[in-house]
Amino acid sequence: MNTKYIFITGGVVSGLGKGITASALGRLLKNRGYKVINQKFDPYINVDPGTMNPKEHGEVFVTDDGAETDLDLGHYERFTDVNLTTSCSVSSGKIYQSVINKERKGDYLGKTVQVIPHVTNEIKENIYSFEGQADIVITELGGTIGDIEGLAFVEAIRQVGLEKKPEDVLYIHVTLLPYISGSCELKSKPTQHSVKELQSFGIKPDILVCRSEIDIPVEIREKLALFCNVRPENVIPNLTAENLYAVPLMLEKQGLAKAVCKQLHLENKEPQNEEWEKMIQNIRNLRGEVSIALVGKYMQLQDAYLSVVESLRHGGFANGVKVNIGFINSEKINEENVKETLKGYDGILVPGGFGNRGIDGKITTIKYARENNIPFLGICLGMQMAVVEFARNVLGLKDASSAEFSSTTKNPVIHIMETQKSVTEKGGTMRLGAYPCIIKKETLAYKIYGEENISERHRHRFEYNNEYRERLEKAGLICSGTSPDGTLVEIVENEKHPFFIAGQFHPEFKSRPNKPHPLFVGLIKAAKTNKNI
Ligand code: GLN
Protein backbone atom coordinates (compact mmCIF):
# COMPACT_ATOMS: atom_id res chain seq x y z
CA MET A 1 0.00 0.00 0.00
CA ASN A 2 1.21 3.52 -0.77
CA THR A 3 1.99 5.63 2.26
CA LYS A 4 -0.85 8.10 2.77
CA TYR A 5 -0.27 11.69 3.91
CA ILE A 6 -2.62 13.68 6.09
CA PHE A 7 -1.91 17.36 6.74
CA ILE A 8 -3.54 19.22 9.59
CA THR A 9 -3.60 23.01 9.50
CA GLY A 10 -5.27 25.45 11.85
CA GLY A 11 -7.33 28.56 11.31
CA VAL A 12 -9.13 31.42 13.08
CA VAL A 13 -7.23 31.27 16.40
CA SER A 14 -4.42 29.25 17.94
CA GLY A 15 -4.92 26.84 20.80
CA LEU A 16 -7.78 24.92 19.18
CA GLY A 17 -6.37 21.54 20.10
CA LYS A 18 -4.94 20.74 16.67
CA GLY A 19 -2.43 18.52 18.45
CA ILE A 20 -5.20 16.60 20.19
CA THR A 21 -7.09 16.23 16.89
CA ALA A 22 -3.94 14.86 15.24
CA SER A 23 -3.32 12.51 18.17
CA ALA A 24 -6.92 11.34 18.36
CA LEU A 25 -7.03 10.67 14.63
CA GLY A 26 -3.78 8.71 14.97
CA ARG A 27 -5.39 6.52 17.62
CA LEU A 28 -8.55 5.94 15.55
CA LEU A 29 -6.51 4.89 12.51
CA LYS A 30 -4.23 2.72 14.63
CA ASN A 31 -7.33 1.05 16.04
CA ARG A 32 -8.25 0.18 12.45
CA GLY A 33 -4.97 -1.69 12.13
CA TYR A 34 -2.99 0.94 10.23
CA LYS A 35 0.60 1.83 11.06
CA VAL A 36 0.53 5.52 11.89
CA ILE A 37 3.28 8.08 12.50
CA ASN A 38 2.57 11.59 13.74
CA GLN A 39 4.81 14.46 12.78
CA LYS A 40 4.89 18.12 13.83
CA PHE A 41 6.14 21.13 11.89
CA ASP A 42 6.98 24.21 13.94
CA PRO A 43 7.62 27.42 12.02
CA TYR A 44 9.94 29.03 14.61
CA ILE A 45 13.64 29.56 13.87
CA ASN A 46 15.05 27.65 16.85
CA VAL A 47 16.54 24.39 15.56
CA ASP A 48 14.54 22.65 18.29
CA PRO A 49 12.74 23.83 21.45
CA GLY A 50 15.56 22.51 23.67
CA THR A 51 16.98 25.98 24.26
CA MET A 52 13.61 27.64 24.92
CA ASN A 53 12.35 28.56 28.35
CA PRO A 54 9.43 26.25 29.30
CA LYS A 55 7.58 29.39 30.41
CA GLU A 56 7.39 30.43 26.75
CA HIS A 57 6.87 27.22 24.92
CA GLY A 58 5.79 24.65 27.48
CA GLU A 59 7.69 21.50 28.23
CA VAL A 60 10.38 20.06 26.00
CA PHE A 61 9.40 16.51 25.16
CA VAL A 62 12.24 14.00 24.71
CA THR A 63 12.03 11.00 22.38
CA ASP A 64 13.77 7.64 22.77
CA ASP A 65 16.33 8.64 20.15
CA GLY A 66 17.19 11.79 22.08
CA ALA A 67 15.40 14.56 20.18
CA GLU A 68 14.24 17.58 22.16
CA THR A 69 10.83 18.23 20.66
CA ASP A 70 7.60 20.16 20.79
CA LEU A 71 5.16 19.11 23.50
CA ASP A 72 2.63 17.96 20.89
CA LEU A 73 4.83 14.90 20.40
CA GLY A 74 3.92 14.00 23.95
CA HIS A 75 0.23 14.05 23.01
CA TYR A 76 0.93 11.94 19.93
CA GLU A 77 2.85 9.34 21.94
CA ARG A 78 0.28 9.22 24.74
CA PHE A 79 -2.63 8.76 22.34
CA THR A 80 -1.04 6.44 19.78
CA ASP A 81 1.55 4.68 21.95
CA VAL A 82 4.04 4.93 19.08
CA ASN A 83 7.58 5.94 20.06
CA LEU A 84 8.46 8.80 17.73
CA THR A 85 11.84 9.94 16.46
CA THR A 86 13.86 13.04 15.57
CA SER A 87 12.26 13.27 12.12
CA CYS A 88 8.86 13.66 13.75
CA SER A 89 9.64 17.16 15.00
CA VAL A 90 10.79 19.66 12.39
CA SER A 91 11.23 23.43 12.82
CA SER A 92 12.11 26.13 10.28
CA GLY A 93 15.46 26.38 12.06
CA LYS A 94 16.19 22.73 11.44
CA ILE A 95 15.22 23.02 7.78
CA TYR A 96 17.28 26.16 7.20
CA GLN A 97 20.27 24.75 9.07
CA SER A 98 20.28 21.76 6.77
CA VAL A 99 19.83 23.85 3.62
CA ILE A 100 22.62 26.24 4.64
CA ASN A 101 24.96 23.36 5.50
CA LYS A 102 24.32 21.88 2.04
CA GLU A 103 24.95 25.24 0.42
CA ARG A 104 28.29 25.58 2.25
CA LYS A 105 29.30 22.12 1.12
CA GLY A 106 28.54 23.13 -2.46
CA ASP A 107 25.72 20.62 -2.87
CA TYR A 108 23.57 23.02 -4.91
CA LEU A 109 26.14 23.15 -7.71
CA GLY A 110 26.19 26.87 -8.39
CA LYS A 111 22.43 27.41 -8.09
CA THR A 112 20.85 30.37 -6.31
CA VAL A 113 19.40 28.79 -3.15
CA GLN A 114 15.75 29.76 -2.74
CA VAL A 115 12.70 29.05 -0.60
CA ILE A 116 11.11 27.38 -3.62
CA PRO A 117 12.42 24.81 -4.48
CA HIS A 118 15.31 24.30 -2.02
CA VAL A 119 13.62 24.96 1.30
CA THR A 120 10.37 23.32 0.22
CA ASN A 121 12.31 20.28 -1.07
CA GLU A 122 14.03 19.98 2.29
CA ILE A 123 10.63 20.06 4.03
CA LYS A 124 9.25 17.43 1.66
CA GLU A 125 12.26 15.18 2.30
CA ASN A 126 11.24 15.18 5.95
CA ILE A 127 7.67 14.24 5.03
CA TYR A 128 8.73 11.52 2.61
CA SER A 129 11.28 10.10 5.05
CA PHE A 130 8.48 7.86 6.34
CA GLU A 131 7.63 6.47 2.89
CA GLY A 132 7.20 2.74 3.25
CA GLN A 133 7.71 2.89 7.03
CA ALA A 134 4.15 3.87 7.87
CA ASP A 135 0.77 3.36 6.25
CA ILE A 136 -0.29 6.85 7.22
CA VAL A 137 1.76 9.93 8.17
CA ILE A 138 -0.18 12.63 10.00
CA THR A 139 1.65 15.95 9.81
CA GLU A 140 0.45 18.85 11.92
CA LEU A 141 1.52 22.37 11.00
CA GLY A 142 2.01 24.59 14.05
CA GLY A 143 0.53 28.11 14.14
CA THR A 144 -2.40 29.38 12.09
CA ILE A 145 -2.74 29.59 8.36
CA GLY A 146 -1.35 32.88 7.03
CA ASP A 147 1.47 33.22 9.60
CA ILE A 148 4.51 34.54 7.74
CA GLU A 149 6.83 32.01 9.35
CA GLY A 150 4.73 29.06 8.22
CA LEU A 151 4.50 29.90 4.51
CA ALA A 152 7.27 27.60 3.30
CA PHE A 153 5.62 24.66 5.08
CA VAL A 154 2.23 25.49 3.55
CA GLU A 155 3.80 25.61 0.10
CA ALA A 156 5.61 22.30 0.68
CA ILE A 157 2.44 20.47 1.75
CA ARG A 158 0.64 21.92 -1.27
CA GLN A 159 3.31 20.42 -3.51
CA VAL A 160 2.87 17.02 -1.87
CA GLY A 161 -0.74 17.12 -3.03
CA LEU A 162 0.44 17.44 -6.63
CA GLU A 163 3.29 14.95 -6.42
CA LYS A 164 1.27 12.13 -4.90
CA LYS A 165 -1.94 10.55 -6.16
CA PRO A 166 -5.10 12.45 -5.13
CA GLU A 167 -6.22 9.49 -3.01
CA ASP A 168 -2.93 9.47 -1.10
CA VAL A 169 -3.11 13.01 0.30
CA LEU A 170 -5.66 14.61 2.58
CA TYR A 171 -5.94 18.08 4.09
CA ILE A 172 -7.75 18.70 7.36
CA HIS A 173 -8.36 22.26 8.53
CA VAL A 174 -9.14 22.76 12.22
CA THR A 175 -11.13 25.91 12.95
CA LEU A 176 -13.35 27.57 15.54
CA LEU A 177 -17.06 28.33 15.32
CA PRO A 178 -17.61 31.10 17.88
CA TYR A 179 -20.85 30.88 19.80
CA ILE A 180 -22.78 34.10 20.35
CA SER A 181 -24.79 33.48 23.47
CA GLY A 182 -27.15 36.46 23.05
CA SER A 183 -28.55 35.15 19.80
CA CYS A 184 -27.71 31.47 20.53
CA GLU A 185 -25.84 31.24 17.24
CA LEU A 186 -22.70 29.57 15.95
CA LYS A 187 -20.82 31.79 13.55
CA SER A 188 -19.30 30.37 10.38
CA LYS A 189 -17.73 33.53 8.97
CA PRO A 190 -14.26 33.23 10.61
CA THR A 191 -14.01 29.67 9.23
CA GLN A 192 -15.04 30.88 5.78
CA HIS A 193 -12.28 33.50 5.88
CA SER A 194 -9.71 31.05 7.10
CA VAL A 195 -10.55 28.52 4.37
CA LYS A 196 -10.40 31.32 1.81
CA GLU A 197 -6.88 32.08 3.01
CA LEU A 198 -5.91 28.40 2.83
CA GLN A 199 -7.30 28.17 -0.69
CA SER A 200 -5.33 31.25 -1.69
CA PHE A 201 -2.20 29.14 -1.04
CA GLY A 202 -3.54 26.46 -3.34
CA ILE A 203 -4.81 24.06 -0.69
CA LYS A 204 -8.41 22.92 -0.73
CA PRO A 205 -9.35 21.34 2.59
CA ASP A 206 -11.03 17.93 2.36
CA ILE A 207 -12.26 17.91 5.94
CA LEU A 208 -13.10 20.69 8.38
CA VAL A 209 -12.82 19.92 12.08
CA CYS A 210 -14.77 22.65 13.84
CA ARG A 211 -14.24 23.41 17.51
CA SER A 212 -17.58 24.38 18.90
CA GLU A 213 -19.26 24.75 22.27
CA ILE A 214 -22.50 23.19 21.04
CA ASP A 215 -23.36 20.62 18.41
CA ILE A 216 -23.38 22.09 14.93
CA PRO A 217 -26.94 22.40 13.51
CA VAL A 218 -27.52 20.95 10.02
CA GLU A 219 -28.01 24.40 8.47
CA ILE A 220 -24.62 25.61 9.69
CA ARG A 221 -22.99 22.41 8.52
CA GLU A 222 -24.50 22.86 5.08
CA LYS A 223 -23.54 26.49 4.97
CA LEU A 224 -19.94 25.66 5.92
CA ALA A 225 -19.86 22.93 3.27
CA LEU A 226 -21.15 25.28 0.59
CA PHE A 227 -18.98 28.27 1.42
CA CYS A 228 -15.85 26.32 2.29
CA ASN A 229 -15.95 23.92 -0.61
CA VAL A 230 -16.16 20.65 1.39
CA ARG A 231 -18.73 17.86 1.52
CA PRO A 232 -21.35 18.30 4.29
CA GLU A 233 -20.41 14.93 5.83
CA ASN A 234 -16.82 16.17 6.02
CA VAL A 235 -17.72 18.99 8.39
CA ILE A 236 -16.82 17.35 11.70
CA PRO A 237 -17.83 18.96 15.00
CA ASN A 238 -15.17 18.87 17.69
CA LEU A 239 -17.02 19.66 20.90
CA THR A 240 -15.40 20.31 24.26
CA ALA A 241 -14.82 16.87 25.76
CA GLU A 242 -15.27 15.89 29.42
CA ASN A 243 -11.60 14.88 29.39
CA LEU A 244 -8.81 14.88 26.84
CA TYR A 245 -8.76 11.15 26.35
CA ALA A 246 -12.44 11.07 25.41
CA VAL A 247 -11.71 13.06 22.22
CA PRO A 248 -10.90 10.04 19.97
CA LEU A 249 -14.22 8.36 20.75
CA MET A 250 -16.08 11.62 20.28
CA LEU A 251 -14.46 12.16 16.89
CA GLU A 252 -15.19 8.53 16.01
CA LYS A 253 -18.85 9.20 16.66
CA GLN A 254 -18.72 12.32 14.52
CA GLY A 255 -17.34 10.24 11.67
CA LEU A 256 -13.83 11.70 11.35
CA ALA A 257 -11.96 8.43 10.78
CA LYS A 258 -14.64 7.18 8.43
CA ALA A 259 -14.40 10.34 6.33
CA VAL A 260 -10.59 10.07 6.31
CA CYS A 261 -10.67 6.42 5.16
CA LYS A 262 -13.18 7.23 2.42
CA GLN A 263 -11.14 10.12 1.10
CA LEU A 264 -7.88 8.15 1.17
CA HIS A 265 -9.46 5.07 -0.40
CA LEU A 266 -8.61 3.07 2.70
CA GLU A 267 -10.75 0.23 3.85
CA ASN A 268 -12.76 1.52 6.83
CA LYS A 269 -11.95 -1.55 8.95
CA GLU A 270 -13.97 -2.19 12.08
CA PRO A 271 -12.14 -0.09 14.71
CA GLN A 272 -10.83 -1.92 17.78
CA ASN A 273 -11.92 0.82 20.17
CA GLU A 274 -12.93 -1.44 23.10
CA GLU A 275 -9.74 -0.98 25.13
CA TRP A 276 -10.00 2.79 24.80
CA GLU A 277 -13.71 2.71 25.64
CA LYS A 278 -12.96 0.68 28.76
CA MET A 279 -10.33 3.18 29.76
CA ILE A 280 -12.79 6.07 29.38
CA GLN A 281 -15.37 4.16 31.43
CA ASN A 282 -12.74 3.70 34.12
CA ILE A 283 -11.92 7.43 34.05
CA ARG A 284 -15.61 8.23 34.41
CA ASN A 285 -15.86 5.93 37.41
CA LEU A 286 -12.92 7.22 39.43
CA ARG A 287 -13.89 7.21 43.10
CA GLY A 288 -12.09 9.23 45.72
CA GLU A 289 -9.25 11.60 45.18
CA VAL A 290 -5.71 12.30 46.25
CA SER A 291 -3.83 15.58 46.17
CA ILE A 292 -0.29 15.85 44.92
CA ALA A 293 1.90 18.92 45.37
CA LEU A 294 3.92 19.63 42.24
CA VAL A 295 6.72 21.84 43.52
CA GLY A 296 8.52 23.53 40.64
CA LYS A 297 9.36 26.96 39.34
CA TYR A 298 7.81 27.33 35.90
CA MET A 299 4.38 27.99 37.33
CA GLN A 300 3.23 30.76 34.96
CA LEU A 301 2.51 28.17 32.27
CA GLN A 302 1.14 24.82 33.38
CA ASP A 303 2.14 23.31 30.01
CA ALA A 304 5.70 23.51 31.33
CA TYR A 305 4.91 20.30 33.24
CA LEU A 306 2.46 18.80 30.76
CA SER A 307 3.77 15.23 30.69
CA VAL A 308 4.23 15.16 34.47
CA VAL A 309 0.65 16.31 34.96
CA GLU A 310 -0.70 13.74 32.49
CA SER A 311 1.40 10.98 34.08
CA LEU A 312 0.01 11.82 37.52
CA ARG A 313 -3.48 11.53 36.07
CA HIS A 314 -2.54 8.16 34.51
CA GLY A 315 -1.31 7.04 37.92
CA GLY A 316 -4.77 7.98 39.22
CA PHE A 317 -6.49 5.94 36.48
CA ALA A 318 -4.53 2.86 37.56
CA ASN A 319 -5.51 3.41 41.18
CA GLY A 320 -9.14 4.33 40.51
CA VAL A 321 -8.79 7.84 41.95
CA LYS A 322 -8.87 11.38 40.68
CA VAL A 323 -5.60 13.24 41.17
CA ASN A 324 -5.78 16.89 42.19
CA ILE A 325 -2.57 18.72 41.51
CA GLY A 326 -1.40 21.74 43.48
CA PHE A 327 1.03 23.83 41.43
CA ILE A 328 3.38 25.25 44.02
CA ASN A 329 6.11 27.74 43.30
CA SER A 330 9.25 26.53 45.06
CA GLU A 331 10.56 30.09 45.24
CA LYS A 332 7.86 30.83 47.81
CA ILE A 333 8.67 27.89 50.10
CA ASN A 334 10.87 28.30 53.17
CA GLU A 335 11.43 26.56 56.54
CA GLU A 336 8.73 28.70 58.18
CA ASN A 337 5.89 28.09 55.74
CA VAL A 338 6.66 24.64 54.35
CA LYS A 339 4.37 22.78 56.73
CA GLU A 340 1.50 25.16 56.19
CA THR A 341 1.97 25.13 52.40
CA LEU A 342 2.18 21.37 52.01
CA LYS A 343 -0.08 20.15 54.78
CA GLY A 344 -3.11 19.21 52.68
CA TYR A 345 -1.17 17.05 50.22
CA ASP A 346 -0.99 13.27 50.15
CA GLY A 347 2.15 13.15 48.05
CA ILE A 348 4.87 15.43 46.72
CA LEU A 349 6.60 15.56 43.34
CA VAL A 350 9.64 17.67 42.56
CA PRO A 351 10.13 17.75 38.79
CA GLY A 352 13.09 18.58 36.54
CA GLY A 353 14.51 22.04 36.00
CA PHE A 354 17.53 24.17 35.27
CA GLY A 355 19.28 26.98 37.11
CA ASN A 356 19.33 27.83 40.78
CA ARG A 357 16.16 29.91 41.09
CA GLY A 358 13.80 28.18 43.53
CA ILE A 359 16.35 25.55 44.55
CA ASP A 360 16.21 26.25 48.30
CA GLY A 361 12.45 25.79 48.33
CA LYS A 362 12.83 22.44 46.60
CA ILE A 363 15.37 21.27 49.15
CA THR A 364 13.13 22.42 52.01
CA THR A 365 10.20 20.58 50.40
CA ILE A 366 12.20 17.36 50.07
CA LYS A 367 13.34 17.59 53.70
CA TYR A 368 9.72 17.97 54.73
CA ALA A 369 8.69 14.91 52.66
CA ARG A 370 11.56 12.83 54.04
CA GLU A 371 11.04 13.74 57.68
CA ASN A 372 7.27 13.41 57.62
CA ASN A 373 7.02 10.17 55.62
CA ILE A 374 5.10 11.88 52.81
CA PRO A 375 5.24 9.88 49.56
CA PHE A 376 7.83 11.55 47.36
CA LEU A 377 8.86 11.25 43.74
CA GLY A 378 11.83 13.24 42.44
CA ILE A 379 12.49 13.67 38.76
CA CYS A 380 15.90 14.62 37.33
CA LEU A 381 16.66 17.90 39.15
CA GLY A 382 14.24 16.61 41.81
CA MET A 383 16.48 13.56 42.25
CA GLN A 384 19.62 15.67 42.37
CA MET A 385 18.09 17.88 45.06
CA ALA A 386 17.04 14.79 47.05
CA VAL A 387 20.71 13.81 47.14
CA VAL A 388 21.78 17.33 48.13
CA GLU A 389 19.15 17.46 50.89
CA PHE A 390 20.22 14.10 52.29
CA ALA A 391 23.90 15.03 52.20
CA ARG A 392 23.21 18.32 53.98
CA ASN A 393 20.77 17.20 56.61
CA VAL A 394 21.60 13.54 57.24
CA LEU A 395 25.33 13.35 56.48
CA GLY A 396 25.79 16.82 57.94
CA LEU A 397 27.67 18.18 54.91
CA LYS A 398 26.21 21.64 55.31
CA ASP A 399 27.62 23.07 52.07
CA ALA A 400 26.68 20.04 49.92
CA SER A 401 25.36 21.21 46.57
CA SER A 402 25.24 20.58 42.86
CA ALA A 403 28.07 21.92 40.75
CA GLU A 404 25.31 23.48 38.62
CA PHE A 405 24.66 25.98 41.42
CA SER A 406 27.93 26.28 43.24
CA SER A 407 31.37 26.10 41.71
CA THR A 408 33.04 26.59 45.07
CA THR A 409 31.33 23.98 47.28
CA LYS A 410 33.67 21.50 48.93
CA ASN A 411 30.97 18.86 48.63
CA PRO A 412 29.64 18.67 45.06
CA VAL A 413 27.44 15.62 45.65
CA ILE A 414 26.05 16.29 42.17
CA HIS A 415 28.72 17.12 39.62
CA ILE A 416 29.06 17.62 35.88
CA MET A 417 29.15 14.44 33.81
CA GLU A 418 32.56 13.58 32.40
CA THR A 419 31.18 13.67 28.85
CA GLN A 420 29.75 17.16 29.41
CA LYS A 421 33.03 18.79 30.42
CA SER A 422 34.09 19.53 26.86
CA VAL A 423 30.65 20.73 25.75
CA THR A 424 30.57 24.40 24.74
CA GLU A 425 27.29 24.76 22.82
CA LYS A 426 23.96 24.55 24.62
CA GLY A 427 21.65 23.21 21.89
CA GLY A 428 21.13 19.44 21.71
CA THR A 429 24.22 18.61 23.76
CA MET A 430 22.84 17.23 27.02
CA ARG A 431 22.73 13.51 27.83
CA LEU A 432 19.56 12.90 25.85
CA GLY A 433 17.23 10.02 25.11
CA ALA A 434 16.78 6.46 26.27
CA TYR A 435 19.44 4.65 28.27
CA PRO A 436 19.23 1.27 30.00
CA CYS A 437 19.15 0.99 33.77
CA ILE A 438 19.58 -2.04 35.97
CA ILE A 439 17.46 -2.24 39.10
CA LYS A 440 18.69 -3.91 42.28
CA LYS A 441 16.46 -6.61 43.66
CA GLU A 442 14.82 -6.17 47.05
CA THR A 443 14.43 -2.44 46.63
CA LEU A 444 11.38 -0.20 46.35
CA ALA A 445 12.35 0.42 42.72
CA TYR A 446 12.20 -3.31 42.02
CA LYS A 447 8.87 -3.58 43.76
CA ILE A 448 7.54 -0.73 41.64
CA TYR A 449 8.90 -1.82 38.25
CA GLY A 450 8.74 -5.57 38.82
CA GLU A 451 11.77 -6.07 36.59
CA GLU A 452 15.52 -5.64 36.59
CA ASN A 453 16.09 -4.17 33.15
CA ILE A 454 14.41 -0.91 32.29
CA SER A 455 15.00 1.89 29.83
CA GLU A 456 14.20 5.53 30.55
CA ARG A 457 14.63 8.85 28.79
CA HIS A 458 17.15 11.44 29.94
CA ARG A 459 17.84 15.15 29.59
CA HIS A 460 20.60 16.41 31.87
CA ARG A 461 24.25 17.48 32.18
CA PHE A 462 24.88 16.79 35.86
CA GLU A 463 24.91 13.50 37.75
CA TYR A 464 25.31 11.81 41.12
CA ASN A 465 28.90 12.02 42.35
CA ASN A 466 30.11 8.49 43.15
CA GLU A 467 32.66 9.78 45.64
CA TYR A 468 29.78 10.14 48.10
CA ARG A 469 28.05 6.88 47.23
CA GLU A 470 29.35 4.80 50.12
CA ARG A 471 28.52 7.42 52.74
CA LEU A 472 25.08 8.18 51.33
CA GLU A 473 24.18 4.49 51.05
CA LYS A 474 25.42 3.74 54.56
CA ALA A 475 23.20 6.50 55.91
CA GLY A 476 20.16 5.11 54.09
CA LEU A 477 19.95 6.72 50.66
CA ILE A 478 20.24 3.60 48.51
CA CYS A 479 21.22 3.55 44.84
CA SER A 480 18.62 1.13 43.57
CA GLY A 481 19.14 1.71 39.84
CA THR A 482 22.35 2.28 37.89
CA SER A 483 23.65 2.17 34.34
CA PRO A 484 24.54 -1.42 33.33
CA ASP A 485 28.23 -0.84 34.13
CA GLY A 486 27.25 0.47 37.56
CA THR A 487 28.90 3.87 37.12
CA LEU A 488 25.92 6.18 36.68
CA VAL A 489 23.39 6.35 39.48
CA GLU A 490 19.92 6.44 37.94
CA ILE A 491 17.61 5.84 40.93
CA VAL A 492 17.95 6.65 44.62
CA GLU A 493 15.55 5.72 47.38
CA ASN A 494 15.34 6.20 51.12
CA GLU A 495 15.21 2.87 52.89
CA LYS A 496 13.76 4.37 56.06
CA HIS A 497 10.81 5.95 54.31
CA PRO A 498 7.61 4.25 53.07
CA PHE A 499 7.85 5.83 49.59
CA PHE A 500 10.73 8.10 48.77
CA ILE A 501 12.18 7.51 45.33
CA ALA A 502 13.84 9.66 42.69
CA GLY A 503 15.21 9.09 39.20
CA GLN A 504 17.84 10.88 37.15
CA PHE A 505 15.58 10.33 34.11
CA HIS A 506 12.14 11.53 33.04
CA PRO A 507 9.56 8.75 33.52
CA GLU A 508 6.80 11.15 32.44
CA PHE A 509 7.80 10.78 28.78
CA LYS A 510 6.90 7.09 28.78
CA SER A 511 3.56 7.10 30.57
CA ARG A 512 0.40 6.41 28.56
CA PRO A 513 -3.19 6.67 29.78
CA ASN A 514 -3.67 2.99 29.04
CA LYS A 515 -0.16 2.02 30.20
CA PRO A 516 0.56 4.25 33.19
CA HIS A 517 4.19 4.47 34.22
CA PRO A 518 4.97 2.36 37.31
CA LEU A 519 6.60 5.22 39.24
CA PHE A 520 3.45 7.34 38.96
CA VAL A 521 1.23 4.36 39.75
CA GLY A 522 3.43 3.78 42.80
CA LEU A 523 3.30 7.41 43.93
CA ILE A 524 -0.49 7.61 43.71
CA LYS A 525 -0.85 4.25 45.47
CA ALA A 526 1.40 5.48 48.28
CA ALA A 527 -0.59 8.75 48.42
CA LYS A 528 -3.78 6.71 48.81
CA THR A 529 -2.25 4.71 51.63
CA ASN A 530 -1.03 7.92 53.22
CA LYS A 531 -4.57 9.25 53.09
CA ASN A 532 -6.01 5.97 54.33
CA ILE A 533 -8.18 5.30 51.28
N1 GLN B 1 19.75 20.87 35.58
C1 GLN B 1 19.99 19.50 35.83
C2 GLN B 1 21.04 18.91 34.90
O1 GLN B 1 21.32 19.48 33.87
C3 GLN B 1 18.70 18.69 35.78
C4 GLN B 1 18.08 18.65 34.43
C5 GLN B 1 16.63 18.24 34.45
O2 GLN B 1 15.97 18.29 35.48
N2 GLN B 1 16.12 17.85 33.31
O3 GLN B 1 21.56 17.87 35.18
Side-chain angles (χ1 to χ4, degrees), residues 161 240 408 433:
T240 305
T408 52

Side-chain angles (χ1 to χ4, degrees), residues 17-74:
K18 249 185 314 160
I20 300 295
T21 303
S23 310
L25 178 59
R27 169 49 69 175
L28 294 178
L29 295 171
K30 180 177 175 170
N31 285 0
R32 281 164 168 76
Y34 294 111
K35 189 163 181 236
V36 180
I37 288 182
N38 281 82
Q39 181 181 43
K40 174 84 191 280
F41 285 161
D42 277 298
Y44 50 71
I45 309 294
N46 302 60
V47 173
D48 61 44
T51 54
M52 283 189 222
N53 190 323
K55 273 191 310 201
E56 271 189 36
H57 192 260
E59 96 181 349
V60 174
F61 187 82
V62 180
T63 55
D64 265 346
D65 69 347
E68 296 178 281
T69 74
D70 184 75
L71 52 73
D72 273 318
L73 268 82

Side-chain angles (χ1 to χ4, degrees), residues 39-40 80 127 159 190 208 287 393 396 457 474 485 517 527:
Q39 181 181 43
K40 174 84 191 280
T80 63
I127 300 170
Q159 292 174 16
L208 290 182
R287 300 267 177 271
N393 300 320
R457 298 183 192 174
K474 225 185 207 152
D485 65 1
H517 190 288

Side-chain angles (χ1 to χ4, degrees), residues 205-262:
D206 300 292
I207 294 177
L208 290 182
V209 172
C210 303
R211 285 281 285 122
S212 164
E213 284 308 311
I214 58 165
D215 204 3
I216 308 176
V218 184
E219 340 52 279
I220 301 281
R221 224 185 252 227
E222 282 171 355
K223 188 171 173 188
L224 280 165
L226 186 63
F227 284 87
C228 298
N229 200 10
V230 299
R231 294 171 189 282
E233 67 272 22
N234 286 2
V235 177
I236 308 287
N238 183 7
L239 309 180
T240 305
E242 52 179 300
N243 83 71
L244 215 59
Y245 299 112
V247 174
L249 298 177
M250 189 183 75
L251 291 175
E252 179 75 271
K253 245 200 217 143
Q254 304 285 5
L256 176 64
K258 194 171 144 211
V260 165
C261 287
K262 186 168 171 208

Side-chain angles (χ1 to χ4, degrees), residues 351-355 379-382 384 402 404-405 414-415 417 430 458-463 504 506:
F354 295 84
I379 294 178
C380 208
L381 184 65
Q384 297 175 351
S402 161
E404 184 178 0
F405 314 124
I414 301 296
H415 64 174
M417 298 185 76
M430 282 187 249
H458 296 69
R459 183 173 184 248
H460 62 113
R461 294 188 201 281
F462 294 83
E463 62 162 338
Q504 182 55 78
H506 290 270

